[in-house]
Amino acid sequence: MPKNKSKSKKHNKASKTTMEPNRRQGKAQLDHNVNLIYEHNMQALKQHYPEIARMIRDTQISGKYQLMRWNEDTPSTLVAPAQNFIYYEPTNPKQDAADEITALKLKNTRLAVFLGLGLGYELNYYIDHMATEQNTNHILVIEKDLEIFKLALMNEDLRTYLNHPKIRFVVGIEAGDLFSKLVPILHKDQIFVLARAMKPVYHSSALSLNRDYYMQVMKALREATIFEVSHYGDSPEDSLIGIENMLINIDEIVSNPGINLLFDKFKGRPAVVVATGPSLNKNKHLLQGLEDKALIIAVDASLKVLMDIGIKPHLVTSLERVPEVVKFFEGFKPEEVEDVYLAACPVIRNEVYQAYPGPRVIVYRNLDHFKWLGVDKGILDIKLSAGNMAFKVAEALGCDPIILIGQDLALSRDGRTHADGNVYGEKQTYMLEGEFIEVMGNDGQPIPTTPDLYSFLKAYELDVAVYSGTCINATEGGAYIQGTQVMSFQEAIDRCISSDAFYPLEIIRHQEANFSGEEKKRDLELVLTLIRETEQDVRDILSDCQQGVDICEMHQEMLARCLADAEYFNTVRSRLDELNVEILAPQERCKQRQKTYQLFLAHVFQSYLVKFTMDMVAVPGKYDDPDLARVEILMRHVEWYRVIGGLVAICLQALLQAKEKLEERLNYSCI
């Protein structure tokens, strides 16, 4: 972390004999040095945090807080005159900040979360005196009050921190928006893996002023971390299914157009996203007559519900890899769905494609193995559910507004989980088991939801937060999605859907015609070549993992003895660097085969890697001697090699099966 290289030496003058604020001095009479500090800080803020810079420019110094000095030789302190509140011990604010931070008795603070900035003294002290010994990788500074932040910019030169890529500032964000603001920060560089070594850093005055808000910050950080961990997968087995399905679905991928042909082709046109929550019963009939005036995108579970009342969506999204999805698409005649495009991610089971007789559009989720494949169909940042997927499809196509119906993301108050006509029933028992979470409903009253639905709700909050258009939640029941406008579906139709037709189906057909399919054989041959090249890399990575196991097992007894016998450990401590290189060398060789390791394999074992990394980050917190932490980490790498090696072996088998089928297809079939 950086050292604070330029600190302000001059501050506002205040009475030496009283702490009574001079209002004019606090609000207007800033000397030249203070103005210079502020402008320098604002230049850095504008460069790296333009949104915060705009808010600060618009923030007036109201007198709610003021900068005061006890005498000429002391730095400024922060006071709140109306509350008779002093933020720092007035005679020595910087020492007070140091004492408060030291009293927290922090250990292994890999991610330091500052709850309040104050005047920046705590941040200065932490970086100058604690960040190195705490092995801090990242710092997150969260300040609720824009006026306090503005006074800090007037008081201390913070440019070193504002410019630093591993220090992030979150300022003036409402509590309800914290989750959607924090997730992208934790996602970048996978900072969330430091969660088990994440510690709050604060001055007690910050909590006195805004305790409830900073408790909400910690809650939002926990939820953001859980969301990020789930985003990287719940289990390697689930990711393996996705890889296997993708390889099985190669023929579908190369034979059908991609969603990229439709990007921005519905610019400024309304879309209706139809999910299957119980509230869909209230307004699904209003879709009749909208087919030519709005793009209708249904999730897979909604298809039969809509078809039963004579409504044909233009696109149907499907994402899940489970066998149960097949039932959503069975029983249709080709002529019934000839105008309904299955916009599926090709990690679904091939049986779904076999069951559905209608046209297809290929939609990639933002997974590296689709980049490895090299057959461009368009990648979307799809989160957890088919509903989230439908929203991202509408966004990618340029739709504005996007109107949601049936997106309850909660149980109805009479205990129903789905709308009438769902193929698995309106009360699905697996969703009624376990604990419920209470969230705010669209009607302003609490409503119960499940952990899975809650995660879909949080995913929607993230999607809506980055969507540049208007999202209207016309579900008429269910959970409130932060950032949406709530109204009835009829009101949304009246306000947002014009009587003028623009014929979405014709637009889709016209763009689909640009896909000739003539490149199919070429694409299959390119994929086969890629598989053959990848096969050798996978075999080499498998060999490296086995070497890693052998090396770890050779040293396991010695490392275990180091943890149990301090005297013995001191005799071998000097060998730690050498052992570190030897044990980690096979791992480094695996990672050097970047295209295969990162693009083809990583999605399969990333859920394991995330949990392994989080565990290793937490290890130093167990020991006073950092070298003992290194010993445990090295010992546990035998697990890394065994697990990764086992998963790579399974991927190799899937790759060989795909190679065999492609070779047979190209050699003996007419394409």
Side-chain angles (χ1 to χ4, degrees):
M1 302 309 300
K3 298 292 184 185
N4 190 22
K5 295 179 178 156
S6 51
K7 295 182 181 177
S8 170
K9 299 294 184 184
K10 295 186 179 181
H11 305 273
N12 292 335
K13 293 182 179 180
S15 169
K16 296 182 182 180
T17 59
T18 177
M19 285 301 295
E20 181 65 28
N22 183 316
R23 189 172 295 275
R24 288 178 302 165
Q25 184 181 48
K27 294 178 66 175
Q29 293 185 351
L30 300 174
D31 62 24
H32 173 72
N33 284 353
V34 170
N35 279 322
L36 195 59
I37 290 170
Y38 175 70
E39 288 305 322
H40 284 164
N41 281 331
M42 285 300 292
Q43 289 172 14
L45 196 67
K46 186 176 180 181
Q47 179 180 355
H48 299 287
Y49 303 92
E51 184 179 348
I52 298 177
R54 286 192 295 270
M55 291 192 295
I56 291 299
R57 290 286 189 195
D58 294 338
T59 298
Q60 301 299 314
I61 302 301
S62 67
K64 178 182 178 182
Y65 305 108
Q66 296 174 13
L67 297 178
M68 296 298 298
R69 295 178 67 191
W70 182 256
N71 58 50
E72 295 285 350
D73 299 322
T74 59
S76 298
T77 192
L78 187 68
V79 299
Q83 301 178 48
N84 194 28
F85 183 84
I86 301 174
Y87 200 99
Y88 299 102
E89 202 287 317
T91 58
N92 200 339
K94 292 189 176 183
Q95 185 59 49
D96 179 43
D99 292 343
E100 290 259 352
I101 300 306
T102 303
L104 295 175
K105 296 182 178 179
L106 299 168
K107 186 176 182 181
N108 192 36
T109 310
R110 300 287 297 276
L111 172 58
V113 180
F114 280 75
L115 303 178
L117 176 65
L119 294 180
Y121 301 146
E122 296 90 348
L123 185 60
N124 288 342
Y125 179 80
Y126 184 89
I127 289 174
D128 286 347
H129 300 285
M130 297 181 69
T132 300
E133 71 177 41
Q134 293 289 323
N135 200 19
T136 301
N137 297 91
H138 293 271
I139 290 176
L140 180 58
V141 181
I142 302 177
E143 175 56 65
K144 175 183 186 292
D145 199 304
L146 286 164
E147 193 167 340
I148 289 178
F149 191 72
K150 188 164 188 172
L151 289 171
L153 296 176
M154 294 174 175
N155 184 61
E156 284 280 308
D157 189 338
L158 300 174
R159 286 176 293 173
T160 300
Y161 309 142
L162 293 169
N163 291 330
H164 201 281
K166 292 192 175 183
I167 303 176
R168 298 297 301 169
F169 288 80
V170 176
V171 181
I173 301 299
E174 295 294 327
D177 295 325
L178 283 167
F179 174 82
S180 59
K181 187 69 176 181
L182 292 172
V183 167
I185 293 173
L186 296 184
H187 181 80
K188 186 178 181 182
D189 301 325
Q190 293 192 346
I191 296 173
F192 71 92
V193 301
L194 304 176
R196 293 186 60 190
M198 174 180 70
K199 307 289 172 58
V201 185
Y202 54 87
H203 192 288
S204 58
S205 292
L207 297 190
S208 296
L209 285 171
N210 297 301
R211 177 178 294 275
D212 289 346
Y213 178 82
Y214 291 122
M215 294 304 100
Q216 287 294 314
V217 167
M218 296 309 296
K219 179 176 182 289
L221 279 167
R222 286 193 297 271
E223 290 186 339
T225 299
I226 292 169
F227 183 89
E228 276 298 288
V229 171
S230 67
H231 175 75
Y232 281 87
D234 295 326
S235 69
E237 291 77 13
D238 188 54
S239 298
L240 272 171
I241 293 170
I243 284 277
E244 290 169 345
N245 287 350
M246 179 195 73
L247 293 171
I248 292 170
N249 290 329
I250 291 289
D251 201 60
E252 289 284 348
I253 292 170
V254 302
S255 300
N256 291 293
I259 195 67
N260 52 358
L261 292 178
L262 296 175
F263 284 174
D264 283 332
K265 295 302 186 291
F266 291 84
K267 200 81 172 174
R269 300 292 193 180
V272 181
V273 169
V274 187
T276 329
S279 295
L280 184 62
N281 296 333
K282 299 178 182 179
N283 52 28
K284 61 187 177 183
H285 62 283
L286 296 175
L287 287 165
Q288 291 174 340
L290 298 183
E291 294 90 340
D292 294 336
K293 304 170 187 175
L295 179 68
I296 301 174
I297 307 176
V299 305
D300 45 18
S302 298
L303 179 58
K304 288 189 176 181
V305 175
L306 297 183
M307 295 288 283
D308 285 346
I309 59 172
I311 295 169
K312 292 185 178 182
H314 303 109
L315 298 167
V316 180
T317 57
S318 192
L319 184 66
E320 294 294 328
R321 307 158 201 193
V322 296
E324 288 79 6
V325 172
V326 176
K327 199 169 181 179
F328 297 142
F329 296 97
E330 290 177 334
F332 291 112
K333 298 176 182 178
E335 60 272 17
E336 289 180 298
V337 291
E338 62 183 353
D339 299 331
V340 181
Y341 286 77
L342 172 57
C345 181
V347 295
I348 63 171
R349 295 177 69 91
N350 187 256
E351 291 88 338
V352 175
Y353 285 118
Q354 294 177 27
Y356 187 66
R360 295 99 148 86
V361 174
I362 303 299
V363 184
Y364 289 161
R365 195 177 179 189
N366 191 13
L367 303 175
D368 280 346
H369 51 244
F370 290 123
K371 300 172 187 175
W372 166 83
L373 190 60
V375 181
D376 185 21
K377 297 292 177 176
I379 293 177
L380 303 182
D381 188 20
I382 298 164
K383 306 244 175 0
L384 302 176
S385 73
N388 299 137
M389 181 181 183
F391 183 91
K392 295 304 288 186
V393 168
E395 178 187 33
L397 271 53
C399 297
D400 185 17
I402 299 175
I403 303 168
L404 312 178
I405 64 172
Q407 195 64 74
D408 289 60
L409 301 170
L411 308 179
S412 67
R413 291 194 173 89
D414 60 359
R416 287 176 294 117
T417 62
H418 290 80
D420 296 344
N422 183 275
V423 295
Y424 290 105
E426 63 184 66
K427 284 190 178 183
Q428 296 180 25
T429 55
Y430 79 96
M431 296 183 65
L432 299 173
E433 300 170 351
E435 295 183 4
F436 294 126
I437 301 169
E438 195 171 78
V439 295
M440 185 59 65
N442 283 317
D443 59 4
Q445 299 300 314
I447 193 168
T449 189
T450 69
D452 283 346
L453 291 175
Y454 185 70
S455 65
F456 300 161
L457 170 64
K458 304 310 283 186
Y460 249 117
E461 289 184 7
L462 293 173
D463 289 340
V464 172
V466 298
Y467 173 52
S468 60
T470 299
C471 181
I472 296 172
N473 194 344
T475 293
E476 300 187 46
Y480 173 66
I481 302 171
Q482 186 77 18
T484 61
Q485 296 182 21
V486 178
M487 64 183 73
S488 71
F489 189 29
Q490 186 60 63
E491 186 178 1
I493 293 170
D494 295 341
R495 287 190 185 187
C496 304
I497 299 181
S498 168
S499 58
D500 297 331
F502 63 91
Y503 305 106
L505 181 60
E506 295 306 314
I507 295 174
I508 296 172
R509 283 175 170 168
H510 177 72
Q511 297 304 321
E512 182 200 24
N514 293 325
F515 177 77
S516 65
E518 293 177 359
E519 300 86 3
K520 178 178 176 180
K521 183 175 181 180
R522 183 207 64 186
D523 286 344
L524 287 174
E525 290 173 341
L526 288 174
V527 170
L528 180 58
T529 300
L530 175 65
I531 287 175
R532 287 168 175 162
E533 293 171 351
T534 302
E535 177 190 345
Q536 185 56 54
D537 268 356
V538 172
R539 291 185 185 279
D540 290 341
I541 290 171
L542 192 58
S543 175
D544 287 331
C545 287
Q546 184 56 56
Q547 289 180 34
V549 170
D550 295 340
I551 292 169
C552 287
E553 288 180 343
M554 182 172 60
H555 296 300
Q556 282 297 93
E557 184 176 343
M558 181 191 70
L559 292 171
R561 186 177 174 187
C562 287
L563 294 179
D565 185 339
E567 185 176 346
Y568 173 76
F569 174 53
N570 286 328
T571 66
V572 298
R573 187 191 294 266
S574 60
R575 292 189 55 199
L576 267 185
D577 288 343
E578 176 190 338
L579 285 170
N580 190 80
V581 171
E582 184 180 358
I583 289 172
L584 297 185
Q587 184 184 84
E588 291 304 312
R589 290 198 298 272
C590 291
K591 294 178 180 179
Q592 286 169 8
R593 299 177 181 88
Q594 186 174 16
K595 183 176 181 180
T596 298
Y597 180 87
Q598 182 59 45
L599 298 187
F600 178 65
L601 294 170
H603 180 66
V604 172
F605 47 65
Q606 68 183 4
S607 61
Y608 168 76
L609 284 182
V610 163
K611 293 181 176 72
F612 180 84
T613 304
M614 293 177 77
D615 286 345
M616 296 306 99
V617 164
V619 167
K622 297 164 56 177
Y623 299 95
D624 293 327
D625 185 339
D627 281 344
L628 284 174
R630 292 178 69 193
V631 169
E632 180 177 334
I633 290 170
L634 290 175
M635 273 188 66
R636 293 177 63 176
H637 267 75
V638 69
E639 172 197 324
W640 190 97
Y641 288 117
R642 285 171 178 158
V643 173
I644 299 301
L647 293 171
V648 169
I650 297 173
C651 289
L652 177 60
Q653 293 307 309
L655 203 64
L656 293 175
Q657 290 172 10
K659 183 180 77 168
E660 182 181 351
K661 289 181 180 179
L662 272 177
E663 287 174 340
E664 181 180 346
R665 181 90 167 88
L666 286 166
N667 289 334
Y668 301 110
S669 300
C670 295
I671 298 176

